[in-house]
Amino acid sequence: MTRILIAEDEALLAHEIREELLRQWPQAQVVGIARDGHEALRMVEQLQPAVCLLDIQMPGLSGLEVAQLIGRRAHVVFITAHEQYAVQAFDEGAVGYLLKPLDGARMARTLLRLKERLSQPPADLTGIARGTPPPRVEPLRWITVQLGRELQLIAVDDIVYFRADSKYVAVVTATTESLISMPLKDLIERLDGEHFWQVHRSTIVNAHAIKSVVRTLSGKLSITLKQRPETLAVSPAHAHRFKLL
């Protein structure tokens, strides 16, 4: 079994990666999950994984610094919200990269490439940390929406869900619905991933606003909300969040 270490400081995302990885590659063995760069380096020493999935931006040592320090001891896949920076790491020898939010199709492509590379020695990534990763962006706390001639501040914690609506994104609270121009793909990078989950390519939901998740007779998942009457569809690509149902 291929021994894999995951280094990701967002606990929910780390769990998602583990579950999706094992779903697509049951023969793999996740030997540990590190929450910061220093713990990742210790686990590499102790557990000797063949593959390391490293978040580029972690407390302590960054994923790039960990990759530099482990050298040729393991194949490396990076985890990041910044595709441009991940492509640079890929060009320098990383097996691949996973983007936040997690995408099952990209995971499948990365695992296919990884399996092909396992018969070869790991790439030497000792020079990869010479660059500087993009600064960690603090999660949004407020959203500004325009209501007529007025600008209104909405606390992000009060938002039930976001829905892509043509060229705009609908910001839905328990009692209101407003439009903003920020694309959903940019919005997901600015939200706290522990509390806001993408459940469909057009929908991000506040986990605290979920009342229940129901599986329909056709096998599809549907979210009911605590403070809104409508239900939200869960696409197959994001159904792994609710895999126990």
Side-chain angles (χ1 to χ4, degrees), residues 93-208:
V95 174
Y97 56 90
L98 301 176
L99 289 177
K100 304 177 185 181
L102 186 64
D103 177 74
R106 177 171 288 280
M107 170 78 82
R109 293 193 297 271
T110 299
L111 292 181
L112 180 61
R113 190 181 305 114
L114 175 60
K115 292 172 184 178
E116 293 172 349
R117 289 275 292 271
L118 284 176
S119 60
Q120 307 170 25
D124 183 3
L125 300 179
T126 53
I128 203 168
R130 291 171 186 161
T132 302
R136 182 180 292 271
V137 178
E138 287 298 314
L140 285 174
R141 300 302 176 199
W142 302 88
I143 294 284
T144 303
V145 300
Q146 185 163 359
L147 297 175
R149 295 185 176 181
E150 295 183 355
L151 290 178
Q152 181 178 351
L153 286 176
I154 300 177
V156 169
D157 289 343
D158 292 337
I159 296 170
V160 176
Y161 66 93
F162 298 91
R163 182 189 68 247
D165 188 0
S166 186
K167 296 181 180 180
Y168 299 93
V169 169
V171 180
V172 182
T173 69
T175 58
T176 66
E177 185 168 332
S178 311
L179 296 177
I180 59 174
S181 57
M182 182 183 292
L184 204 70
K185 64 181 181 63
D186 295 340
L187 188 61
I188 191 67
E189 293 185 9
R190 298 293 312 279
L191 294 170
D192 186 341
E194 292 283 342
H195 305 301
F196 283 89
W197 302 347
Q198 185 159 17
V199 296
H200 191 278
R201 67 179 181 180
S202 62
T203 312
I204 301 169
V205 65
N206 185 339
H208 296 299

Side-chain angles (χ1 to χ4, degrees), residues 7-8 10 13 17 53-57 64 77-90 96-103 106 133-134 189:
E8 168 58 59
E10 295 181 32
L13 179 59
I17 292 171
L53 275 57
L54 305 176
D55 186 3
I56 285 182
Q57 294 176 305
L64 299 176
V77 173
F78 286 111
I79 307 164
T80 181
H82 302 272
E83 183 169 14
Q84 182 177 2
Y85 203 75
V87 169
Q88 178 186 339
F90 176 68
Y97 56 90
L98 301 176
L99 289 177
K100 304 177 185 181
L102 186 64
D103 177 74
R106 177 171 288 280
E189 293 185 9

Side-chain angles (χ1 to χ4, degrees), residues 223-238:
I223 294 173
T224 60
L225 303 165
K226 295 175 182 177
Q227 297 176 293
R228 299 281 304 189
E230 64 267 32
T231 59
L232 305 178
V234 179
S235 69
H238 299 283

